[in-house]
Amino acid sequence: MLHVRSIWNGAISFGLVSIPIKLVNATESHSISFRQIHIEDGGRIRYRKVCELEDREVSSAEIGKGYEDADGAIVPITEDDLAHLPIPTAKTIEIVAFVPADRIDPLQMDAAYYLQAGGAPAAKPYTLLREALKRSNKVAIAKYALRGRERLGMLRVVGDAIAMHGLLWPDEVRAPEGVAPDTSVTVRDQELDLADALMDTLGEVDLEDLHDEYRDAVEEVVAAKAAGEKPPEAPSAPSGGKVLDLMAALESSVRAAQKSRGEEASAEASEEADVRSLPERKSARTSPKETGGKKTTSTGRKTATATGSARKSTAKTSKTSKSTGTAKSAQGTRGAKKTTASKSTTAGTGRTAKKTAAKKTTAKKATPRKRTA
């Protein structure tokens, strides 16, 4: 249960259902406040409320409200007068409609409040309204009176509670006339692609991780001066100037975002690949992509060099092998020719010897033998 002082007590009017509630602030300011002082001696500067007719200071209990008309006359208005205004929203948050949440323009959003159930009798109708809002996926539009005027509000469910956002009336929101550039501008697809890449790199964020760094810096300055020390120096401001090259600015932004998110290596690798690309090879094989940083790039170059040397050595070895094989083949061919010639000579000699032997045998057969008397 919130232990915050309520700023308004009344009821929610939900048709014929009345839900007693207390209105409490849903937000609080953590900003550091300063006091006005006299620069010469550091004395506090205070404002005193003085009655101009009596020329004397008056207390808060003696101060009321008054309305100044066009003639300058003051018409006193009491709290009782405001409590009995002839409108139903004087003490009631009157629900007038239920609409989808996307129908509400964020420009209309104002202060935020929690609606706290006013005692045990309010528990059942309060829960009924909360569950009805949940199931409908809608928000309630209501009218209420606060601080001397009727206001517009939006009721929605936050956790197990009902919250109310004060809304500005539609005629209180200015139209954005004359705000957008009045010159014709063409945005290229490449620029949109880089903008998308920057958005993807920045990604999402948990709002719980964000905090007020300005307040932290002010507290450091205050603590240093209170201790008689020199306040911390401010970081150097970034150099200003016109953006001449939008593409270059977007590319630099992407690299800076990658570096801030711990992706410095990949950013440097892409930059290194653009500036110092490896020479093209005649081979049709595709070289592998570089995925690391500068160290990886150097390693990739060494690997590429070693690979190239290995390929050259292999080519030389292949050529030597081919030359050796060709020489051996030539020697083999000459040997084969010699062998063939030798075989042919041997065969010829054999045939000649056989013919000679045959002739001798024929001659012997042809010679007649002598008879003995």
Side-chain angles (χ1 to χ4, degrees):
M1 180 180 294
L2 287 174
H3 298 284
V4 182
R5 184 176 65 88
S6 62
I7 61 174
W8 186 87
N9 295 336
I12 300 174
S13 175
F14 180 31
L16 297 178
V17 178
S18 181
I19 309 172
I21 57 98
K22 296 178 180 181
L23 192 69
V24 298
N25 284 317
T27 61
E28 57 186 3
S29 175
H30 291 163
S31 61
I32 297 176
S33 59
F34 297 99
R35 305 295 184 186
Q36 289 185 331
I37 62 170
H38 186 197
I39 297 177
E40 184 177 345
D41 54 18
R44 286 280 304 275
I45 302 297
R46 299 180 182 273
Y47 292 95
R48 291 184 172 89
K49 297 179 179 180
V50 177
C51 174
E52 62 181 16
L53 296 180
E54 299 180 7
D55 195 19
R56 69 176 181 86
E57 185 178 356
V58 296
S59 64
S60 298
E62 300 176 86
I63 299 176
K65 296 177 180 178
Y67 176 79
E68 183 177 5
D69 61 15
D71 298 333
I74 301 296
V75 179
I77 301 294
T78 65
E79 293 296 333
D80 189 61
D81 294 333
L82 297 176
H84 293 84
L85 291 175
I87 55 173
T89 58
K91 278 292 182 180
T92 304
I93 298 176
E94 182 185 11
I95 296 177
V96 297
F98 293 88
V99 300
D102 57 6
R103 287 271 302 275
I104 305 301
D105 189 343
L107 287 174
Q108 289 184 255
M109 294 287 190
D110 201 358
Y113 309 95
Y114 285 130
L115 303 182
Q116 183 178 1
K124 182 65 178 289
Y126 186 98
T127 305
L128 173 64
L129 176 59
R130 182 191 67 199
E131 296 303 315
L133 287 171
K134 280 185 180 180
R135 191 165 70 174
S136 67
N137 291 322
K138 294 182 178 181
V139 296
I141 302 300
K143 295 170 67 177
Y144 65 102
L146 182 66
R147 298 189 179 98
R149 55 171 295 195
E150 189 174 58
R151 301 170 184 264
L152 197 61
M154 179 190 74
L155 277 63
R156 68 185 184 96
V157 177
V158 178
D160 292 332
I162 299 175
M164 182 174 72
H165 295 270
L167 298 178
L168 300 175
W169 296 97
D171 60 357
E172 292 179 318
V173 179
R174 294 177 178 175
E177 296 178 358
V179 178
D182 56 356
T183 57
S184 178
V185 177
T186 301
V187 179
R188 295 180 295 170
D189 290 340
Q190 295 87 342
E191 294 168 340
L192 283 174
D193 292 340
L194 277 174
D196 290 341
L198 178 58
M199 293 169 63
D200 292 339
T201 304
L202 293 175
E204 298 181 357
V205 65
D206 187 354
L207 295 181
E208 297 293 334
D209 296 335
L210 302 178
H211 66 282
D212 188 353
E213 296 182 5
Y214 183 87
R215 185 185 67 191
D216 295 343
V218 172
E219 289 176 349
E220 290 181 10
V221 171
V222 172
K225 298 201 71 172
E229 300 174 355
K230 183 180 179 181
E233 296 183 0
S236 57
S239 57
K242 297 181 179 179
V243 178
L244 301 179
D245 190 342
L246 182 58
M247 291 288 289
L250 287 171
E251 290 172 353
S252 300
S253 300
V254 172
R255 286 195 292 269
Q258 289 174 338
K259 182 177 179 180
S260 66
R261 296 175 68 88
E263 302 174 7
E264 182 176 1
S266 59
E268 289 180 357
S270 61
E271 182 179 1
E272 194 73 21
D274 292 338
V275 177
R276 300 179 180 179
S277 58
L278 293 175
E280 297 181 358
R281 297 189 181 96
K282 295 182 179 180
S283 174
R285 300 174 64 181
T286 304
S287 59
K289 295 182 180 179
E290 296 175 351
T291 57
K294 292 182 178 179
K295 294 181 179 179
T296 307
T297 305
S298 301
T299 306
R301 290 174 184 161
K302 291 180 180 179
T303 305
T305 305
T307 305
S309 301
R311 288 177 180 170
K312 290 181 179 179
S313 300
T314 304
K316 289 181 179 179
T317 305
S318 299
K319 290 181 179 179
T320 305
S321 300
K322 288 181 180 178
S323 301
T324 305
T326 304
K328 288 182 179 179
S329 177
Q331 290 177 358
T333 303
R334 288 194 294 271
K337 289 182 178 179
K338 288 181 179 181
T339 304
T340 304
S342 176
K343 288 181 179 179
S344 300
T345 305
T346 304
T349 305
R351 286 193 295 270
T352 304
K354 286 181 180 181
K355 288 181 179 180
T356 304
K359 288 180 178 180
K360 288 181 178 181
T361 303
T362 304
K364 287 181 180 181
K365 288 181 179 181
T367 303
R369 293 178 181 180
K370 291 182 179 182
R371 293 182 180 181
T372 302

